[in-house]
Amino acid sequence: QVQLVESGGGLVQAGGSLRLSCAASGSIFRINAMGWYRQAPGKQRELVARISSGGSPKYADSVKGRFTISRDNAKNTVYLQMNSLKPGDTDVYYCNAELSSLSGNVRDYWGQGTQVTISS
């Protein structure tokens, strides 16, 4: 069993900052890419940022220059530093991790989601 536990969401004013964390635990052989997605009610989940096992990041255009994704492989943890937050960033943010098993199977895991609310 693998669990992804997120923390760091909350309510901040526009222009403020938040840092999300997501720690993976359980039966882990190898973690490939890790990332953050967000979803508003009635909308599709969308990519916010993703980082490869080697540390190469990828960002949605809407967050480039404001958000920074990083990971600590020793702690099986991915972070999302969010600066210059806007009301449009209000969503539930989900952590994602792609894991490989010893047998070579690859599977996606998701966190439970953390609410981020930006007030104007």
Side-chain angles (χ1 to χ4, degrees), residues 12-60:
V12 296
Q13 289 188 329
S17 297
L18 282 173
R19 189 190 194 213
L20 305 182
S21 299
C22 171
S25 62
S27 301
I28 297 172
F29 175 65
R30 184 173 66 240
I31 302 178
N32 302 321
M34 302 183 81
W36 292 93
Y37 292 71
R38 64 188 182 187
Q39 186 172 24
K43 293 189 177 182
Q44 281 193 326
R45 193 170 295 185
E46 62 177 17
L47 173 70
V48 176
R50 195 160 177 84
I51 186 167
S52 70
S53 56
S56 296
K58 175 183 177 181
Y59 299 97

Side-chain angles (χ1 to χ4, degrees), residues 55-101:
S56 296
K58 175 183 177 181
Y59 299 97
D61 288 343
S62 59
V63 307
K64 283 180 181 176
R66 300 189 298 123
F67 291 9
T68 301
I69 189 169
S70 60
R71 64 190 285 174
D72 185 333
N73 291 331
K75 296 180 179 179
N76 292 334
T77 299
V78 62
Y79 306 96
L80 186 67
Q81 178 66 43
M82 304 186 293
N83 299 329
S84 302
L85 283 161
K86 305 174 182 179
D89 294 318
T90 296
D91 268 325
V92 178
Y93 284 68
Y94 295 89
C95 174
N96 169 267
E98 180 188 89
L99 272 66
S100 293
S101 68

